[in-house]
Amino acid sequence: MDSDIQTYVSSHSDDPGYAGRIDIVTGPTGRRRWPEHVKAAMVLETFRDGVTVADVARRHGVSAPQLHAWRRAAREGLLPMPEDDALGLVPIVVSGGAVPGDRPETSLQLEIVGVRILVPTGFDAAHLGRVVAALRETSS
């Protein structure tokens, strides 16, 4: 991205007629405006395995705090995000009929990599996240 590089040139002279310092600035100056689809693409990159926010920010010439702000906006629904498998979301199917063998207190049933998980009402969401992550890890 050569257009993102700022160059500063100064000229000083003791010759007669010297009017003062001359600075030439090339490249973008001031605030840049990023289209929402570009912001969303950068945010999606940060969710991929083995990628850090700092690496993505450096690659695109954005500050890491700015990219963190866009991630927060995406989590809060303020930045429209395209559907992507990188987020690791699990599709949920709601059915009206009871599944044989289900206990009445089961509120959610997940099927991940061929394993059926019956999630009871009031189950700790953080623990469920660890279970799902462990299942995905073993399937890789």
Side-chain angles (χ1 to χ4, degrees):
M1 291 189 199
D2 293 333
S3 63
D4 290 343
I5 299 172
Q6 292 189 356
T7 307
Y8 298 96
V9 178
S10 295
S11 175
H12 296 283
S13 175
D14 292 332
D15 294 336
Y18 173 67
R21 180 179 173 144
I22 300 171
D23 290 332
I24 300 171
V25 180
T26 61
T29 59
R31 293 178 179 229
R32 291 181 284 174
R33 298 201 184 271
W34 297 90
E36 287 190 343
H37 70 279
V38 175
K39 292 180 192 177
M42 285 188 233
V43 168
L44 282 177
E45 276 187 60
T46 65
F47 289 121
R48 299 201 188 287
D49 290 336
V51 176
T52 66
V53 171
D55 290 338
V56 173
R58 195 175 307 112
R59 188 170 36 255
H60 293 285
V62 178
S63 71
Q66 179 64 67
L67 192 48
H68 278 291
W70 293 342
R71 284 170 49 104
R72 186 171 39 266
R75 279 193 307 271
E76 294 171 357
L78 301 174
L79 178 63
M81 299 294 293
E83 291 185 23
D84 191 295
D85 291 338
L87 297 178
L89 300 178
V90 179
I92 297 178
V93 178
V94 179
S95 62
V99 177
D102 276 358
R103 295 182 297 239
E105 68 272 6
T106 300
S107 63
L108 181 65
Q109 175 181 322
L110 302 173
E111 287 194 33
I112 304 169
V113 294
V115 176
R116 189 170 98 179
I117 303 172
L118 302 175
V119 183
T121 305
F123 192 79
D124 181 32
H127 185 66
L128 179 60
R130 290 189 295 272
V131 169
V132 170
L135 281 172
R136 291 187 70 191
E137 225 174 82
T138 59
S139 69
S140 300

